[in-house]
């Protein structure tokens, strides 16, 4: 049975770690990799494929939206599922995200339940394959 | 005379010439158009006042006419609304009665100055100003909301991360505890708890910054001598008082009354109160026109009282509750915005003080400002910008020096640190504060007029208080420190002129000593 692999990108390392622990509790998720910025994330993407990328909107240097834009430009990742997390949502950001094929946004602060709800909308986490 | 009468016809003003019994002798052309009274009607009039109707009762024609005739002098009426006989049209006029000699007798020119147009414009102006005031109120409110909105957006964004970490860590703890294997997860459990604590401190810091942000720079307080602040205010309003022949008295019970306040803002309040008092006295015009400004402290020195007393028109019972409301004014449009008392009361509140109104004995008002004493004031100010949730402990230092410039220097040197300065210029008051508040260090000027450092230290030690004491003194008094070091347990000495570093070094010595 194939397990999902997830990439978590957030400049707040503690959030990455907490999200990783929550994701690993699901039997259907086999591999969680974390990155603290867009550059590290791109490196990880070169090495392996991911079923889902969870990325924070507000990051220094390259923002989450810029990262996703780059992602969409490459063939390999043009349709990878993306969950955007954000501390403050503006109308403009939402429109851009939607244009970039982001189907859902998770607003901070969030708890485990909300996180897993949104994740399962993007990748099937139910126990029957 | 007929030449003159012809001239009257050329005048724009409606004019009637009457004799001493108010019989109409002549009237000009404009009077007929103005009054709409036909020549036939005018012939039948026995007395002019028969056709002159004062609609608002403001012009008593009979009275002013008799005044003009009895003394044969020109009399001017006040402005009033008038009508002529059965004409429905009314005008706002001022009546002028001018005696003119005609042969042996006097005749009287009744001139009417039509102010209807001006009155109309003025009324419209009043309405527009009132609408403007309302718009302004709404603007100020909207602006406030906008600022709060922006502030809140920024804050909620910054708080979102630590909240997520704290929330997530709490959930992790639940998971670990439910797993039944605490020992195996002990490191992760510790990490989760630490994450929660640091997140809370982070959120705490953000709210603290918010508090500090609210304190704009022009609201900054410092140690000031209220005597000089009050004197400056008196100088500012002095000329206006002199011009209106109102006596302005200043009574101060002490030479030096030190407060922790914003000098310009307090001046603003005083000027406002004094100007109000001046207007009230001029309005009421009592025999002895006087306004008194007084400065006093309570017996225990913990409160400061500033009073403005006047024997003017006073404040009506029905509006005493409203006088501190914004835009409330009893004055005519154009004179005063109605913001004075409201702003003044806000300023005093930001000094943790109160301002109240009472009726003066006999007539007039007393406005009393009560401010907390300098020690309590500086303590309160500092307390409102610190947080007791922090792992970093705030140092509270009581600085006692009779020179306010020294206190202000301490204040500004440490304004951004986690060091709170409580200033005092009076050793006795400082001792009072020591009894009531927990202070980490006492820094005392050695040579104060009321008592020297040794005397102060002895009183503190005799009370059983072992708070670290540091002497502040010039090089030639350093010996006193050495003498008292063991005897009175004085931790260290700061030599004037001092630097921030020398203060910090002393503090390290003092606090270092008492650390477990």
């Amino acid at each position: 049975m194939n397990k999902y692999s997830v990439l978590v990108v957030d400049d707040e390392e503690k959030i990455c770690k907490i999200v990783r622990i929550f994701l690993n509790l699901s039997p259907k998720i086999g591999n969680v990799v974390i990155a603290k910025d867009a550059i590290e994330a791109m490196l990880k993407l070169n090495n392996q494929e991911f079923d889902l990328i969870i990325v924070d909107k507000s990051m220094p240097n390259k923002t989450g939206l810029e990262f996703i834009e780059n992602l969409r430009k490459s063939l390999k990742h043009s349709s990878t599922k993306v969950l955007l997390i954000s501390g403050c949502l503006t109308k403009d950001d939402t429109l851009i995200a939607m244009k970039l094929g982001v189907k859902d946004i998770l607003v901070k602060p969030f708890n485990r339940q909300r996180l897993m709800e949104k994740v399962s909308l993007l990748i099937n986490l139910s126990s029957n394959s | 005379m007929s030449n003159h009468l012809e001239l009257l016809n050329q005048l724009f003003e409606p004019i009637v010439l009457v004799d001493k019994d108010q019989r109409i002798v002549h009237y000009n052309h404009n009077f007929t158009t103005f009054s709409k009274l036909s020549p036939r009607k005018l012939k039948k009039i026995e007395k002019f006042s028969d056709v002159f109707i004062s609609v608002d009762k403001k012009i008593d024609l009979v009275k002013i006419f008799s005044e003009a005739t009895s003394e044969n002098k020109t009399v001017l009426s006040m402005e009033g609304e008038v009508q002529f006989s059965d004409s429905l049209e009314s005008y706002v006029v001022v009546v002028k009665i001018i005696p003119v000699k005609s042969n042996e007798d006097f005749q009287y020119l009744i001139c009417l100055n039509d102010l209807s147009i001006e009155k109309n414009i003025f009324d419209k102006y009043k309405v527009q100003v009132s609408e403007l005031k309302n718009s302004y109120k709404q603007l100020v409110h909207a602006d406030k909301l906008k600022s709060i909105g922006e502030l809140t957006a920024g804050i909620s964004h910054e708080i979102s991360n630590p909240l997520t970490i704290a929330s997530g860590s709490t959930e992790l703890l639940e998971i670990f505890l439910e797993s039944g294997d605490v020992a195996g997860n002990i490191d992760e459990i510790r990490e989760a708890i630490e994450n929660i604590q640091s997140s809370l401190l982070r959120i705490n810091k953000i709210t603290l910054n918010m508090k500090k942000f609210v304190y704009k720079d022009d609201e900054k307080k410092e140690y000031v001598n209220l005597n000089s602040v009050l004197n400056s205010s008196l100088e500012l309003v002095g000329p206006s008082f002199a011009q209106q022949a109102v006596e302005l008295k200043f009574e101060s019970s002490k030479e030096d009354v030190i407060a922790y306040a914003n000098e310009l803002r307090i001046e603003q309040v005083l000027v406002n109160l004094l100007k109000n008092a001046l207007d009230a006295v001029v309005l009421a015009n009592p025999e002895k026109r006087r306004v008194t400004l007084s400065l006093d402290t309570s017996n225990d020195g913990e409160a400061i009282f500033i009073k403005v007393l006047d024997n003017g028109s006073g404040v009506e019972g029905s509006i005493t509750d409203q006088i501190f409301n914004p835009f409330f004014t009893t004055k005519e449009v154009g004179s005063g915005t109605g913001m004075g008392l409201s702003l003044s009361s806000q300023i005093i509140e930001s000094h943790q003080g109160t301002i109240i109104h009472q009726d003066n004995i006999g007539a007039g008002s007393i406005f009393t400002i009560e401010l907390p004493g300098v020690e309590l004031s500086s303590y309160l100010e500092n307390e409102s910008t610190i947080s007791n949730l922090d792992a970093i402990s705030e140092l509270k230092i009581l600085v006692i020096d009779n020179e306010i410039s020294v206190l202000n220097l301490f204040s500004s040197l440490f304004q951004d640190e986690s060091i709170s300065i409580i200033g005092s210029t009076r050793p006795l008051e400082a001792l009072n504060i020591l009894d009531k508040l927990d202070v980490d260090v006492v820094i005392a000027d050695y040579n104060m007029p009321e008592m020297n450092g040794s005397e102060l230290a002895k009183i503190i030690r005799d009370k059983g208080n072992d708070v670290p004491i540091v002497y502040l003194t010039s090089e030639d008094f350093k010996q006193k420190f050495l003498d008292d070091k063991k005897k009175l347990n004085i931790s260290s000495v700061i030599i004037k002129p001092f630097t921030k570093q020398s203060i910090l070094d002393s503090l390290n010595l003092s606090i270092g000593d008492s650390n477990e």
Side-chain angles (χ1 to χ4, degrees), chain A residues 12 14 21 58 108-109 112, chain B residues 157 161 164 171 195 202:
Chain A
E12 189 83 60
K14 288 186 183 155
I21 297 179
S58 328
K108 286 193 228 176
R112 179 189 169 196
Chain B
H157 175 63
N161 271 9
T164 304
E171 292 185 290
N195 280 346
R202 222 167 118 183

Side-chain angles (χ1 to χ4, degrees), chain B residues 268-269 272 276 323 327-328 337-345:
Chain B
Q268 189 180 344
V269 172
N272 173 245
N276 281 350
I323 53 174
F327 296 111
F328 181 83
T337 55
M339 289 303 284
L341 274 182
S342 158
L343 278 175
S344 297
S345 111

Side-chain angles (χ1 to χ4, degrees), chain B residues 179-247:
Chain B
S179 74
D181 179 19
V182 169
N185 286 313
I186 196 77
D187 288 332
E188 284 86 353
I189 289 173
R190 282 217 181 94
E191 195 182 343
I193 292 175
E194 205 193 280
N195 280 346
I196 293 168
Q197 285 177 322
S198 63
S199 297
L200 290 176
L201 286 176
R202 222 167 118 183
I203 294 169
N204 184 52
K205 191 150 193 214
I206 292 165
T207 54
L208 231 112
N209 282 338
M210 198 167 54
K211 268 202 258 185
K212 287 193 178 153
F213 175 75
V214 171
Y215 276 94
K216 288 164 274 162
D217 267 323
D218 60 340
E219 309 304 335
K220 240 179 68 140
K221 298 190 176 80
E222 42 175 24
Y223 297 90
V224 295
N225 188 342
L226 284 180
N227 271 291
S228 56
V229 176
L230 265 61
N231 272 314
S232 303
S233 314
L234 290 171
E235 268 172 45
L236 282 169
V237 301
S240 312
F241 273 77
Q243 212 173 50
Q244 303 268 39
V246 177
E247 185 193 342

Side-chain angles (χ1 to χ4, degrees), chain B residues 311-351:
Chain B
N311 56 350
S313 44
V315 174
E316 250 182 69
S318 58
I319 58 169
T320 36
D321 295 331
Q322 303 171 48
I323 53 174
F324 292 104
N325 290 346
F327 296 111
F328 181 83
T329 180
T330 55
K331 295 193 176 139
E332 278 290 316
V333 160
S335 54
T337 55
M339 289 303 284
L341 274 182
S342 158
L343 278 175
S344 297
S345 111
Q346 277 178 49
I347 291 170
I348 298 302
E349 263 174 43
S350 77
H351 284 78

Side-chain angles (χ1 to χ4, degrees), chain B residues 18-279:
Chain B
V18 300
D19 66 14
K20 65 178 177 1
D21 298 316
Q22 277 199 43
R23 269 200 295 262
I24 296 179
V25 172
H26 183 78
Y27 49 85
N28 71 354
H29 186 66
N30 275 323
F31 179 72
T32 35
T33 37
F34 192 71
S35 63
K36 306 255 187 318
L37 295 168
S38 65
R40 201 158 39 96
K41 268 218 176 96
L42 284 165
K43 261 213 175 84
K44 291 191 189 155
I45 296 173
E46 282 196 18
K47 280 196 327 185
F48 179 68
S49 52
D50 289 342
V51 297
F52 185 89
I53 303 166
S54 174
V55 176
D56 53 10
K57 303 283 187 278
K58 277 187 177 170
I59 303 177
D60 186 344
L61 189 67
V62 174
K63 182 171 170 221
I64 56 174
F65 191 78
S66 70
E67 212 183 311
T69 53
S70 61
E71 297 170 51
N72 274 327
K73 64 169 192 195
T74 301
V75 178
L76 202 59
S77 79
M78 64 188 311
E79 174 192 308
E81 196 182 343
V82 305
Q83 269 175 352
F84 288 97
S85 197
D86 27 72
S87 162
L88 289 171
E89 197 160 337
S90 69
Y91 306 89
V92 176
V93 302
V94 168
V95 178
K96 193 172 184 181
I97 304 179
I98 306 169
V100 288
K101 199 128 191 232
S102 168
N103 303 324
E104 293 300 314
D105 249 322
F106 271 95
Q107 287 180 325
Y108 301 90
L109 273 175
I110 302 179
C111 311
L112 302 167
N113 191 359
D114 182 11
L115 299 173
S116 307
I117 297 174
E118 282 105 318
K119 188 79 183 8
N120 198 332
I121 295 175
F122 185 65
D123 285 343
K124 287 197 175 135
Y125 164 71
K126 262 205 225 190
V127 168
Q128 282 183 344
V129 170
S130 166
E131 282 173 12
L132 216 81
K133 274 187 187 174
N134 280 330
S135 310
Y136 178 71
K137 253 198 260 196
Q138 286 173 24
L139 247 169
V140 167
H141 189 60
D143 192 54
K144 265 199 195 145
L145 289 179
K146 186 163 167 278
S147 299
I148 293 174
E150 285 171 356
L151 215 67
T152 314
I155 291 165
S156 47
H157 175 63
E158 275 190 54
I159 290 182
S160 63
N161 271 9
L163 273 179
T164 304
I165 296 169
S167 162
S169 301
T170 313
E171 292 185 290
L172 286 180
L173 282 176
E174 280 181 316
I175 294 169
F176 291 137
L177 290 176
E178 256 166 56
S179 74
D181 179 19
V182 169
N185 286 313
I186 196 77
D187 288 332
E188 284 86 353
I189 289 173
R190 282 217 181 94
E191 195 182 343
I193 292 175
E194 205 193 280
N195 280 346
I196 293 168
Q197 285 177 322
S198 63
S199 297
L200 290 176
L201 286 176
R202 222 167 118 183
I203 294 169
N204 184 52
K205 191 150 193 214
I206 292 165
T207 54
L208 231 112
N209 282 338
M210 198 167 54
K211 268 202 258 185
K212 287 193 178 153
F213 175 75
V214 171
Y215 276 94
K216 288 164 274 162
D217 267 323
D218 60 340
E219 309 304 335
K220 240 179 68 140
K221 298 190 176 80
E222 42 175 24
Y223 297 90
V224 295
N225 188 342
L226 284 180
N227 271 291
S228 56
V229 176
L230 265 61
N231 272 314
S232 303
S233 314
L234 290 171
E235 268 172 45
L236 282 169
V237 301
S240 312
F241 273 77
Q243 212 173 50
Q244 303 268 39
V246 177
E247 185 193 342
L248 184 55
K249 260 177 77 173
F250 179 38
E251 293 170 351
S252 174
S253 64
K254 294 196 171 68
E255 221 176 73
D256 283 323
V257 179
I258 310 295
Y260 186 63
N262 184 301
E263 184 163 352
L264 283 174
R265 291 278 180 235
I266 299 291
E267 226 174 75
Q268 189 180 344
V269 172
L270 287 167
V271 167
N272 173 245
L273 291 179
L274 287 168
K275 280 209 166 126
N276 281 350
L278 174 64
D279 291 338

